[in-house]
Structures are given as structure tokens and as C-alpha cells.
Amino acid sequence: MFAARTDTIAAVATAMSDSGIGIVRISGDDAIAIADRVYRNAGGKRILTDYDSHTIHYGFITDEDETVIDEVMVSVMKAPKSYTAEDTVEINCHGGVLMMRMILERVIKAGARIAEPGEFTKRAFLNGRLDLSEAEAVMDIIHAKNDFALRSSVNQLKGSVSGMIRDIREEMIHEIAFIEAALDDPEHFDLEAEGYRDILLKKVKKIMKQIRYLIDSSEDGKLLKEGIRTVIVGKPNVGKSSLMNVLLGEDRAIVTDIAGTTRDILEETVSIGGIVFHILDTAGIRYTEDVVEKIGVDKARNAVENADLVLYVADSSVPVDDNDRDIFDMIREKKTIVLLNKSDLNPVVSKEDIMSLMQSVTGRVIRTSMKNGTGLEAFIGAVKEMFFKGDISYNDEVYITNMRHKEALQNAYDSLVQVHKSIEENMPEDFYTIDLMGAYEKLGLIIGESVEDDLVNEIFSKFCMGK
Amino acid sequence: MPEIREKVDICVVGAGHAGCEAALSCARLGMETVIFTVSIDSIALMPCNPNVGGTSKGHLVREIDALGGEMGKNIDHTFIQSKMLNRSKGPAVHSLRAQADKAEYSRRMRKVLENQEHLTVKQAEVCELLTEECGNDPSKADEGMHMRRITGVKTYTGAVYECKAVILCTGTYLKARCLCGEAITYTGPNGLQPANHLSDSMRSLGIELRRFKTGTPARMDGRTLDYSKMEEQFGDEKVVPFSFSTDPKDVQIDQVSCFLTYTNEKTHEIIRANLDRSPIYAGIIEGTGPRYCPSIEDKVVKFADKERHQVFIEPEGLHTNEMYVGGMSSSLPEDVQLAMYRTVPGLENCKIVRNAYAIEYDCIDPRQLYPSLEFKNIKGLFSGGQLNGSSGYEEAAAQGLIAGINAARSVVGKEPVVLDRSQAYIGVLIDDLVTKENHEPYRMMTSRAEYRLLLRQDNADLRLRQIGYEAGLVSQEVYEATLHKKEQIEREMERLKNTVVGAAKENQDFLKAHGSAELKTGVSLAELMCRPELSYEMLEEIDKMRKPLPEDVIEQVEIEIKYEGYIARQLRQVEQYRKMERKRIPDDIDYNDVGSLRLEARQKLIAYKPVSIGQASRISGVSPADISVLLVYLEKYKNNK
């Protein structure tokens, strides 16, 4: 299900980068009331509701215990004279990923919901703020943003996390099916006889603990593969895995002299000069008939598409060939650092050779030797420079995805609190499944699964029903 | 060639549970109606189990009754045992189930039909649907399909009945085939004549058919069973009637018993040893059967670790010895059947009166229908019951009633009556059928209703009487009685919420006596009622101002107050749901013009023509993003008009 139009949504309206000013935007019937809950002016009072439309105010965003989170300017725009034609509040805060996140989270806690991808634009259109001729563009935006969000939502979730959610959901649907089977066929299944209430209570408690763990993890950003998405590419056996190992400081990737050893993708999160990178080490890219290797190459292509930064490793002791040209073709338009590796061997490729190949590829070329550890300082310097110049930045979507997941987890948790309460209060069993199903549905949002006929299928496959 | 030609308003094809409700509602709404059946003796026949109601099905019967249908009254007149199931559970899942005297049930319904003004009962097989072109079908324009309008039906003997609407309620009769082991007969249920011609006529009109199957167990000669080896099962001491119009005093009758016994390892061995002779496992049956009513061979194969399965022995009526063997439907050959039944305690010497069999039949994918149950490509053609891919008498009757009401309304150009998922189980049933992918005979279940705390069997009258009244099937008098009941409930709830009791000794003693916490401050009677250990009845002691109220009023007050928190939450969800249901999608929308829809969503939307954004959102393959895109498009569309 999706929410109705009148509820209040919030999102970061500027790019999530570590520079300049950030804006958190709130829109909907309760926008001003919600902002009021998190804002106080210099005198310590909360009075946004009293201000006129289109006014801007100095003040602070505070935590629930009145601790100041940030010093801000807040603008109030009342319906219908705002972008969405709804009551809108924009919180202009100091830029910085962490700050914007904290403020957005605070706003969500105060009662707003995270906006769906493209939702501000959708509301603006549905409320008549955009020209009808823009309908197509609006639909394209919604479509593209949703596609992207969906992809990143599933892609960014750590495998262990989605596995855990899958397990929890499986356990839940089984219990729901058991109760529903008993309700549907009371002559076959007797809930009272087996002390079922206690069994369920135990399970619910356990699941609540697991979800609590996931919520806590989401606070540390442990659910997602966070950081600047960086992909290492290059032909086989040029030293990609060695680069990964150097960055990690341990022998994780398999390094051999046989071309094509890294057939799958290895991924790690590392901090280089205080900046967090999520690094993927891909299979070497070359024309191949080997099915397994081919899959690895396809995966590499995918990874490059989603990357914020590409590290292209080339072997300076081997002449440039068609495979290099293919790779350059693949990383077109991408922010790239080329590492001209194996500088300890006789170089046959010069910086200039590479530059001429790069053309539309933006970035720089650095000579390195992974074996001797030379050139690494220059590399780290280059990365830092790109980051502080704003050439590369954290991906906004990761944070938003993380918040969406957290919101879903919290909703699932709240549903389970309700189940727990129903059991403790000795309510009849049919009340439990209503909220269990709610939790099941919300957890499904995280791993991109809807409910469909799950329950009926589970009932029929696990329990022998009917006369 | 001379032929009979008649002119009526509406023709109903089939006189099973759907057909009867359909025909009665049309005639009661003043339409000249003919109901056709291949056998007058099989009107409202119960060819499978002898029950009406059951979990969630009892809800359907109550709803049919509230809307002005006949099923509830008919079973109240002809039941021989009745039970309220799930009494120890919440009120939302209480369900009535009655054992019917099958012959009496059928006979009484026939009498009602025969004496209904504007209704003619006719024994004839309808072979052809008569139609004329009326414009293009936008979704199938490229295939050259045109919209058609119904003009009449033709029977096997050549008689033509011109009419403005037709309701198809063909049950399991279309190209029916019955299987009992290697013995295959081309008959309808119970050896009745099948309808072998209508399928082709439907196909030629662009209607897609598919094949479903279902089955029924054997009937035994009751004299050959040993009931001392079974557990006797009684009806309720105090019977609750199905119909809101039945006086509860009239249903306190002497009831018959049912009996419970079990299969055992020997039974399963015989089944396993003969699986190769089962038409399903031998691959002779092509139709899809219901997972809800598996045959005994299915149960033994799919749940191999179960040591025994329940077997319910139920009387078929007061004037017959035949006993129904619930839980052991089968399509195994006659000799295997006898051997397998005889392994069951109490059935050692049983004689089979009628063999168990499986039946296959043609039905439609109901996504070809609007929620009004009218075909999307043929104006004036409606369908209900098993033809729509459902199973069960109650599911059939519910659809028949709605199809009947809407056929009658279409004749006079009125908007159809469509119940939504928050109003009735009937709404859930029809929405599921016309919206979701369904691969087996559809059975109602309480778990299918997301707002089931609101859709209780006890409040069906409060939910639906008004709709029945506005449709013209509920009398002024009955409607006003319901309004009065509503008012009494509201007034009493108000009073309980506003009556505060304090910490007087008398009150504290009362609470102590019932193991309830004593009061520190004044609380309302309603708050006290929320305590699990207290009830409305108990509170009489300290409720000085109470005036006597009817039982059904008290029941509502009690439920509404005790479960107020849960009910309020569902009401909030319903509000959200209705917003999307209210956003209508115009008939002539061209999804190819909606730029950013994903291909799968576009195809599904074109194929199933949802009537609202809400319905569209429930089609599998249509994502929330597609819905957002569609909302934007509709806004543009509305403004361009």
C-alpha cells in the first residue's frame, strides 16, 4: 500500500555532500506542527505556527531532550503558495552529511514520513502547481527515481541483513498461517490445547529482539554498504586484487599469476584519509568464452554503472590493446583514477598513452607499483583532492535507503509490540495475526517483496485443510 | 421453421445457488425474468456437502440475507443441526454453520422460485447467447474485437428468448466430465445432464474459458455404519438463526448428530498402493482442483507424515439413510474406494450408495468481468458462481445476488452496486475474483479479509441493510427496524461512556468479587467493560440507570466497546483504502498513452481494465511507482477533458 496524499513527508532537498548548505524539506498538513516540535528560536520558544507565510527565521533544531543539533534558518510557506501547494517548511542547516541526516531523522521521529522517490514533484503536480504540459516529465521523474531507489534499496542491503529479514519473515508467516488455519478449520486445529500462546509469545519476543538489533545496526549504518561506491577495474592480472589488499592491509583477494582468478566480486568498506569508501574488486575484463568468467565480467559492468568512482588499474609493462579500449568505453562519463601499475617492471605504456585513450573519461593518471608500495601516497592525495573539490561525494540514496529501512523496521517493531500486548492481555488469537501480518508486510518493503498470496499459499502447503 | 419466441427482461442460465439468488433478485426488482435449468428437480441442489455456512462462509450467508437474498431464510427453514464455530475466539471469526436437509433445502427454494412474481421457471438447456455489435472494444481494437450487447438466448429446442440482460450461473455443468477411477462419464454433478453447447457460443464471443475440477466423497447407507466407534457431535444448545428476519424462537428444534472418525495407516496404504489408478495421478484430469478441499489421495500424498485424517459422517437429511463422508472425497476406482472406506473405524461394513467422484468443468477467468460481474466486452452479460472460478454454495449465492441486482440495474440504466473490501466479505470475494490471479476454485477465508474486525457476521445487517434497501430488495419496515437498532446501540454506547462510577464501597465490592482491580478515581462504565474479566451483563449490578435492551443490541455494544482500540485502527486503514477506491479510472483510458508505465504494468492494466486506482494497485505486477505515474496521468487526463 502507499500512503494518502495528505500525510506529511520529509526529505533532504539538496545533495548530500560535505559542503555548503543543506535543506531538509517538510510538506503536508502537519508540516508546520512537526517543524515546531523540533525547532526553537533564540529565546527558546517554539512559535513557528504563529509566523506568516513566506517568512524566514533564525533558530535551532533540538533533540528530544532539548540538546541543540544545529543552528538553522527555517522558512515557512503556507498552502497553497509553496512548491507542493501544501504547508511546507524548509530547514536550512549547515551542510554535512551527518548533520542533514540527524535533522531528517529528528523530523521523522516528530511525525513525518520519508518521501517516496519523486513524491514532492508528484504532489506539486497533483496539487496543480505544475503545468499540465509537464505531466510527462513528472511521470518520467517518478519512474526513474523509483527505479533507482528500488535498485539501490536491494543492491545496497548487505547479504547477511536480507538473509536475516528473510528468515524472520519466514518464521512469521508460518505462525500466521498456523493461527489462520486453526481459525479457518477449527475442527482440525486446536490452538488452546497446545499452550500455543506461550510458544508464540516467546517467538514474538525473539523476533522483536532481532528487529531491535537491526534498528540499532541501521543507526550505525551497518545495514547498508555505505561509503563512496568505488569499483576497481582492469584487464586480468594487472594488480587489481593487489590494490585491494594494499587498501585493506591484508591478503583478502586471491592473488595469483594466472589471469582471471578473481571471478566474482569482492567488496569491502575502507577508510582512506578519513573518507569512507565501499570498494568492489571486479574480475578482469577481457574477451572471454569462459562462462564463469563471463558472468564476472557482466557483474563488473553492472558495478561500474552504479559507481561513484572508478579505479582503473593498467599494467604499464604490457602494451595497450583492444581490451583496454573496451574498458575505457565502459567507464565513459565516470570519475576515474588510472593507476599505471607495475612501474617496477620495464614500462612500455606512458602516462600520455593513457591520457590519449581517456578522452571523455575525467580523472588523472598515477604511476604505482603495488609490489614496492610506490605511488600510493600520490594516489591517496588524489582521492582526497577529488573529494574535497566535490568531484566525488557520498551517494544520497544510500542514506535515504537506510532511513526508509529504519522506518520500515520501526513500523514492524511497533506492530510486534501490539501483538505482544494482545497476547499478554489474553486477547483471542485472531487479533494476533492482524498485527503479525502488518509486521510481515513492512519487513517485506525492505527486501522488495510484497505480500501477494503468501499467507494462503503457506496455509495450504503446510497445513492439511478442509473436508 | 416455426419456433417459440418470447420477450423478457432478463434470462438466468442455471438454477443452482447463484442462479436462484440472481433470478429472485431480478424478479423482486420487477424484472420479467426466466430461469433456465436442465432439470427442475435440481433447483438449489447441494451436490457436495450438506452444510450451509462455516468459517467466513457463514459471514457470506449473513451478508446475503442483509442485502435481501434468500439463502439465510432457506437454511433457517431446512436445517437439522447448527453450530456457531470459533466461539472461543474473537467475534470477527465466529461463524455459523448448519447441516441442511438437502432435499428440503432444494424443495423449499423451488417453492420460493415458483411462487415469485415476475419469475418463470423453465426446464431447457441454453445453447447460445444472442448478441449484437455496439462499438469498438478499445482494449482489443487491434484484434478487431468489437463491444457487443446481449439480445437474448436460444435453447437446444430452438426457442428464442429476447432479453436485455443474461446472467450465466452454469455451475459445474459446462462440458462436465465425472471421473471415478477408470470410469469416465460425460455428465454433470450427480449424473445430471451436462451443458455441452454453451461453451462454444461463449468462446465465439471472445470469452476465454479454462478448466477447473472439484470432487465429492461417497454417500453411505447409514444402516451399515457403526456409530459406537465414532465420536458423536452435537449442535449448539441455543441455535442462532442465519437470517436477521428469522425469530430465534423458531429455530430451537430437535437436532440430529454428526459423527467423527479417522483414517489410519491401513487406509493410507490402500490409497498409496492404488495411486496409479487415480485419474489425477495418472494424468487423466487436466483441471485444477481446490487446495482447500483436497481429495483423500491428495492428503495422503502431500501430508505423508500425518498418521490420520479426520472423517466426518453427516446425515444428508431427515428422510434418507444416506450419510455424507466428509474429508474423504476421491476419484479412485469404485473397488479401491470401498476397500479404503472400510478401513475406517465404524465403516468396516459400510455399503456405498453413491460413489465418490471428481468432476471437471469449463469456467471463465473472472478477470474478464467488472466488479459488477458484467463482462467487460459484452454489455448486459453477467455471470456468477462456479462459472467465475469460485467454489462453495455460499460464494456462488453471493455472486448470484450481486449479478442479479446489477443485471436488473443495467436494464434500467442505473449504476451498479459494488461492495468494496471494507464493506463486506462479498466485496472481498468479488474483488479477489475480478482482480487477482487465481489458479484454483476460489474459497472464501477469513484471512482474505483485511478489515475483518469490521466485517463481522453479527453486524452484517448494520453494514448492509441500507444498501439492500436502496437497491430495492429490503422492505421499508425491515430497514427502519435496522435503523432503530443502530440508534439503540449508539445511544447505549454513549450512555456507557458518559456514566462515571466512583470509588463507592458498593462498586469496590463488586470489582473485588469479580477479581478486578479496585478504583482509585472515577471511571466510565465503558472503561470498566474494557477489562477482560468484566462484561456488560456483570456490570448490571452497579449500573443503576440501565434499561432492558434486546440481545442483539447488547451484543453490538459489548463488541464495539471491548475491541474499540482495534476497531478504530482498522477504521483508519479503511479510510486510506477508500481514498484510492474512490479514484475512478475512466473506461476509455488508453494505457499506451501513459508514457512512463513499465511494460508489465501496462500490459496488465490493458488486459484487466481496473475501475479504480485502488483496484489497479492490487493487480500483481503493478508497482506503487506505476500507481503514482497513473495518478499523474489521470490528473492530466481530467484537465484535458
Side-chain angles (χ1 to χ4, degrees):
Chain A
M1 282 294 277
F2 38 89
R5 261 206 275 161
T6 45
D7 59 354
T8 300
I9 55 172
V12 172
T14 47
M16 277 254 202
S17 65
D18 268 336
S19 58
I21 262 193
I23 297 177
V24 172
R25 183 186 283 156
I26 316 169
S27 174
D29 289 351
D30 297 328
I32 298 173
I34 288 171
D36 228 0
R37 273 172 225 153
V38 304
Y39 166 85
R40 65 178 167 84
N41 69 4
K45 279 185 235 154
R46 307 163 183 270
I47 39 169
L48 281 177
T49 23
D50 298 342
Y51 288 138
D52 289 338
S53 185
H54 293 80
T55 51
I56 187 156
H57 312 279
Y58 172 77
F60 304 92
I61 299 297
T62 60
D63 216 335
E64 278 144 319
D65 57 10
E66 299 294 312
T67 322
V68 172
I69 298 177
D70 195 15
E71 182 186 30
V72 295
M73 298 292 288
V74 171
S75 39
V76 176
M77 285 152 282
K78 292 186 180 169
K81 287 190 170 175
S82 70
Y83 176 62
T84 54
E86 299 170 336
D87 281 354
T88 300
V89 174
E90 286 183 357
I91 302 172
N92 296 257
C93 56
H94 290 110
V97 176
L98 189 67
M99 199 54 77
M100 284 188 278
R101 257 171 103 179
M102 280 169 73
I103 292 175
L104 180 58
E105 275 197 48
R106 177 75 185 99
V107 168
I108 300 296
K109 260 194 197 151
R113 165 174 74 71
I114 297 206
E116 289 160 22
E119 198 173 5
F120 281 101
T121 314
K122 177 176 118 185
R123 287 186 179 207
F125 181 83
L126 291 179
N127 294 336
R129 290 295 291 171
L130 297 177
D131 199 279
L132 286 177
S133 63
E134 290 169 273
E136 294 298 332
V138 173
M139 286 189 273
D140 284 342
I141 288 173
I142 293 170
H143 182 73
K145 288 203 172 186
N146 271 284
D147 259 10
F148 183 70
L150 199 70
R151 224 178 327 130
S152 65
S153 159
V154 179
N155 277 348
Q156 286 165 5
L157 204 62
K158 283 189 181 161
S160 58
V161 174
S162 56
M164 190 164 164
I165 289 175
R166 251 173 257 280
D167 289 349
I168 293 174
R169 283 184 100 228
E170 205 172 292
E171 197 172 349
M172 281 168 65
I173 199 74
H174 188 78
E175 296 311 317
I176 299 169
F178 176 65
I179 297 174
E180 289 298 323
L183 295 172
D184 214 73
D185 199 352
E187 285 157 322
H188 269 82
F189 307 99
D190 186 1
L191 293 171
E192 273 119 277
E194 303 160 48
Y196 179 68
R197 244 166 241 252
D198 297 331
I199 298 174
L200 184 68
L201 190 61
K202 248 187 226 156
K203 284 200 173 147
V204 167
K205 278 184 186 163
K206 187 190 85 187
I207 294 175
M208 284 171 77
K209 225 188 221 169
Q210 288 172 317
I211 295 182
R212 176 51 57 199
Y213 167 78
L214 287 173
I215 292 173
D216 292 344
S217 305
S218 79
E219 264 159 34
D220 315 338
K222 277 184 199 150
L223 293 188
L224 300 175
K225 309 157 185 166
E226 288 200 14
I228 292 167
R229 284 178 299 189
T230 307
V231 175
I232 305 177
V233 295
K235 288 185 294 186
N237 207 23
V238 293
K240 295 188 299 298
S241 300
S242 305
L243 171 63
M244 185 81 159
N245 292 344
V246 167
L247 293 176
L248 289 174
E250 52 186 313
D251 270 330
R252 286 295 287 276
I254 316 154
V255 191
T256 65
D257 288 334
I258 309 156
T261 15
T262 309
R263 286 185 169 172
D264 214 328
I265 289 186
L266 290 170
E267 47 183 303
E268 287 296 343
T269 303
V270 294
S271 170
I272 305 171
I275 307 160
V276 180
F277 290 82
H278 184 78
I279 302 185
L280 299 173
D281 177 15
T282 66
I285 293 169
R286 60 168 181 183
Y287 179 75
T288 175
E289 290 294 338
D290 181 340
V291 182
V292 181
E293 204 179 318
K294 224 175 181 169
I295 293 169
V297 173
D298 286 344
K299 279 190 182 171
R301 278 181 197 280
N302 261 330
V304 166
E305 239 170 76
N306 291 318
D308 302 318
L309 173 66
V310 174
L311 303 179
Y312 178 19
V313 187
D315 184 343
S316 60
S317 66
V318 181
V320 173
D321 63 16
D322 279 351
N323 282 320
D324 286 290
R325 279 182 269 276
D326 280 352
I327 296 172
F328 273 115
D329 200 38
M330 193 166 101
I331 62 176
R332 228 184 309 144
E333 319 283 319
K334 286 283 171 190
K335 300 273 185 311
T336 305
I337 296 177
V338 180
L339 301 177
L340 214 42
N341 195 29
K342 305 200 180 175
S343 58
D344 47 306
L345 302 177
N346 280 337
V348 292
V349 185
S350 71
K351 269 193 183 185
E352 289 65 36
D353 294 339
I354 294 289
M355 290 290 210
S356 72
L357 272 174
M358 283 170 77
Q359 290 170 16
S360 67
V361 179
T362 41
R364 39 201 303 180
V365 185
I366 296 162
R367 280 192 169 280
T368 58
S369 163
M370 295 301 152
K371 208 173 162 196
N372 301 339
T374 54
L376 286 174
E377 259 169 52
F379 163 66
I380 290 168
V383 168
K384 275 188 175 173
E385 195 189 320
M386 284 175 97
F387 184 76
F388 287 112
K389 268 169 66 187
D391 284 347
I392 50 173
S393 60
Y394 291 119
N395 186 286
D396 312 3
E397 204 52 48
V398 180
Y399 297 103
I400 292 165
T401 302
N402 192 38
M403 279 218 199
R404 282 212 184 89
H405 288 168
K406 196 170 154 192
E407 198 178 30
L409 285 168
Q410 189 58 52
N411 289 339
Y413 189 84
D414 293 345
S415 292
L416 288 169
V417 169
Q418 191 59 51
V419 179
H420 191 274
K421 187 169 156 242
S422 301
I423 301 175
E424 297 245 283
E425 287 178 357
N426 249 328
M427 295 295 286
E429 290 87 344
D430 51 306
F431 285 87
Y432 311 163
T433 49
I434 295 173
D435 291 301
L436 276 172
M437 203 63 205
Y440 179 79
E441 201 177 329
K442 279 148 205 157
L443 290 180
L445 294 177
I446 300 172
I447 52 173
E449 278 177 19
S450 54
V451 172
E452 307 269 332
D453 285 332
D454 292 6
L455 175 56
V456 173
N457 289 336
E458 178 79 10
I459 291 177
F460 288 134
S461 65
K462 298 284 165 61
F463 303 99
C464 183
M465 300 282 292
K467 290 188 178 177
Chain B
M1 196 178 77
E3 61 180 27
I4 287 180
R5 254 194 128 79
E6 284 198 34
K7 222 174 188 160
V8 294
D9 292 319
I10 296 173
C11 290
V12 177
V13 183
H17 305 282
C20 288
E21 295 291 351
L24 285 172
S25 55
C26 290
R28 286 168 179 170
L29 292 172
M31 298 290 131
E32 277 314 316
T33 307
V34 188
I35 182 167
F36 295 93
T37 166
V38 291
S39 158
I40 294 290
D41 302 310
S42 65
I43 289 173
L45 180 77
M46 304 173 83
C48 195
N49 65 56
N51 319 117
V52 167
T55 53
S56 78
K57 289 161 168 267
H59 291 66
L60 287 174
V61 181
R62 279 279 170 113
E63 292 178 354
I64 292 167
D65 184 70
L67 290 166
E70 193 62 31
M71 186 173 237
K73 293 193 181 89
N74 209 52
I75 184 64
D76 282 346
H77 279 96
T78 58
F79 78 98
I80 51 180
Q81 192 209 73
S82 181
K83 253 185 188 175
M84 184 68 86
L85 301 171
N86 278 332
R87 241 186 225 285
S88 64
K89 306 290 183 291
V93 293
H94 293 185
S95 288
L96 260 182
R97 186 188 62 200
Q99 304 295 131
D101 183 318
K102 283 185 171 183
E104 280 306 312
Y105 187 91
S106 176
R107 195 165 8 224
R108 188 202 172 262
M109 188 63 93
R110 175 172 169 183
K111 200 169 152 193
V112 171
L113 255 56
E114 286 174 348
N115 290 292
Q116 176 63 49
E117 205 187 341
H118 303 301
L119 182 59
T120 306
V121 184
K122 178 79 190 167
Q123 179 164 304
E125 183 189 343
V126 169
C127 295
E128 199 182 332
L129 298 171
L130 308 174
T131 61
E132 63 185 18
E133 248 179 55
C134 65
N136 289 324
D137 179 349
S139 73
K140 288 190 177 161
D142 36 336
E143 297 162 39
M145 289 300 279
H146 295 287
M147 275 298 290
R148 302 193 74 85
R149 177 173 29 231
I150 209 86
T151 58
V153 299
K154 196 176 195 173
T155 68
Y156 188 66
T157 49
V160 169
Y161 290 78
E162 288 173 31
C163 63
K164 296 161 194 150
V166 169
I167 308 168
L168 298 174
C169 302
T170 56
T172 59
Y173 286 78
L174 287 188
K175 294 218 165 132
R177 169 169 97 135
C178 291
L179 303 100
C180 176
E182 300 87 353
I184 296 173
T185 51
Y186 291 84
T187 69
N190 226 347
L192 286 156
Q193 181 192 325
N196 285 330
H197 303 90
L198 196 56
S199 295
D200 296 337
S201 170
M202 290 170 73
R203 271 206 191 88
S204 72
L205 293 172
I207 297 170
E208 283 167 37
L209 295 174
R210 56 179 172 177
R211 214 129 164 95
F212 272 179
K213 79 138 250 235
T214 185
T216 194
R219 312 297 193 273
M220 304 289 176
D221 180 341
R223 293 172 303 172
T224 64
L225 307 184
D226 182 355
Y227 301 107
S228 69
K229 293 184 176 161
M230 311 178 193
E231 297 164 32
E232 188 167 3
Q233 299 196 305
F234 306 96
D236 283 347
E237 255 172 52
K238 190 179 153 202
V239 172
V240 178
F242 272 98
S243 173
F244 291 100
S245 313
T246 302
D247 186 335
K249 286 200 288 289
D250 296 341
V251 291
Q252 309 309 322
I253 58 163
D254 287 335
Q255 299 176 60
V256 298
S257 292
C258 296
F259 299 88
L260 173 62
T261 179
Y262 298 90
T263 62
N264 51 50
E265 205 30 61
K266 239 191 202 148
T267 325
H268 304 172
E269 243 167 61
I270 292 175
I271 292 168
R272 277 193 286 264
N274 288 285
L275 274 183
D276 56 325
R277 294 178 65 197
S278 150
I280 296 181
Y281 289 92
I284 297 166
I285 288 184
E286 332 138 20
T288 324
R291 283 177 295 179
Y292 189 83
C293 299
S295 61
I296 187 67
E297 45 270 32
D298 261 355
K299 292 185 193 179
V300 169
V301 170
K302 288 191 184 137
F303 297 94
D305 52 333
K306 272 201 96 171
E307 285 159 19
R308 59 178 201 175
H309 295 277
Q310 288 173 318
V311 180
F312 293 91
I313 306 294
E314 307 169 29
E316 293 250 307
L318 293 182
H319 307 289
T320 171
N321 284 332
E322 272 189 90
M323 298 296 276
Y324 176 86
V325 188
M328 286 187 82
S329 83
S330 175
S331 57
L332 287 163
E334 194 174 21
D335 58 306
V336 183
Q337 284 188 25
L338 189 63
M340 119 190 141
Y341 285 127
R342 285 191 167 173
T343 60
V344 176
L347 273 59
E348 294 89 346
N349 301 307
C350 72
K351 283 189 179 159
I352 295 177
V353 180
R354 305 180 208 215
N355 286 324
Y357 63 89
I359 182 167
E360 272 192 317
Y361 52 96
D362 283 351
C363 60
I364 63 163
D365 181 335
R367 288 181 295 181
Q368 297 169 88
L369 304 173
Y370 285 118
S372 63
L373 297 180
E374 187 175 20
F375 277 87
K376 288 170 183 167
N377 65 339
I378 303 167
K379 283 192 178 145
L381 183 63
F382 293 78
S383 85
Q386 273 169 302
L387 176 62
N388 289 351
S390 64
S391 88
Y393 310 141
E394 304 79 1
E395 287 87 342
Q399 294 168 62
L401 176 69
I402 298 296
I405 292 172
N406 288 332
R409 291 175 81 85
S410 80
V411 169
V412 292
K414 285 188 187 161
E415 282 285 298
V417 168
V418 173
L419 301 174
D420 73 32
R421 302 181 73 89
S422 68
Q423 288 175 303
Y425 272 81
I426 298 179
V428 176
L429 165 71
I430 294 177
D431 184 61
D432 278 351
L433 284 172
V434 303
T435 309
K436 295 182 181 169
E437 215 164 311
N438 190 34
H439 301 289
E440 65 186 324
Y442 177 99
R443 183 198 185 269
M444 198 70 245
M445 298 166 84
T446 52
S447 56
R448 298 194 198 262
E450 46 280 80
Y451 313 115
R452 72 177 174 206
L453 289 181
L454 310 176
L455 307 185
R456 305 185 309 271
Q457 55 94 33
D458 58 72
N459 68 1
D461 55 339
L462 301 169
R463 290 185 277 125
L464 301 171
R465 273 288 195 225
Q466 186 178 351
I467 295 170
Y469 169 70
E470 283 163 3
L473 289 177
V474 170
S475 71
Q476 181 81 28
E477 189 193 344
V478 167
Y479 175 52
E480 274 170 14
T482 310
L483 286 183
H484 179 62
K485 178 177 168 186
K486 216 176 224 170
E487 204 188 302
Q488 282 180 302
I489 296 165
E490 280 161 14
R491 216 181 306 134
E492 182 65 354
M493 283 177 60
E494 269 311 293
R495 190 187 70 82
L496 291 166
K497 282 182 185 169
N498 295 329
T499 309
V500 175
V501 292
K505 177 165 187 307
E506 182 194 10
N507 294 339
Q508 306 288 39
D509 288 348
F510 164 82
L511 291 170
K512 231 188 290 175
H514 289 97
S516 197
E518 290 176 39
L519 295 177
K520 293 192 184 80
T521 57
V523 300
S524 71
L525 287 171
E527 282 171 81
L528 283 182
M529 262 177 76
C530 286
R531 296 185 176 184
E533 65 277 11
L534 299 177
S535 71
Y536 182 83
E537 199 188 337
M538 291 156 124
L539 285 172
E540 189 175 6
E541 228 180 295
I542 56 167
D543 183 5
K544 304 296 181 205
M545 306 296 288
R546 184 179 293 186
K547 293 194 185 84
L549 285 168
E551 248 179 78
D552 56 343
V553 171
I554 295 172
E555 185 186 21
Q556 291 308 308
V557 169
E558 181 116 47
I559 293 171
E560 291 288 332
I561 288 182
K562 267 209 181 301
Y563 305 112
E564 196 170 22
Y566 291 89
I567 290 173
R569 270 203 292 145
Q570 291 220 320
L571 282 172
R572 280 197 296 275
Q573 289 166 2
V574 164
E575 217 176 287
Q576 299 276 324
Y577 157 81
R578 287 215 174 124
K579 267 183 198 155
M580 292 298 146
E581 294 306 294
R582 276 198 295 264
K583 291 192 202 303
R584 315 299 293 175
I585 300 177
D587 281 348
D588 56 347
I589 186 170
D590 179 2
Y591 289 105
N592 288 312
D593 190 41
V594 189
S596 305
L597 283 176
R598 287 169 319 113
L599 184 64
E600 187 193 4
R602 188 194 314 277
Q603 287 168 342
K604 293 258 169 92
L605 290 166
I606 289 174
Y608 302 125
K609 296 184 192 168
V611 295
S612 68
I613 288 288
Q615 196 191 359
S617 71
R618 290 189 293 278
I619 295 175
S620 80
V622 177
S623 72
D626 295 319
I627 292 299
S628 292
V629 165
L630 203 52
L631 279 171
V632 170
Y633 180 83
L634 286 183
E635 191 66 19
K636 175 185 153 195
Y637 178 95
K638 200 171 73 194
N639 284 288
N640 281 351
K641 271 253 145 162

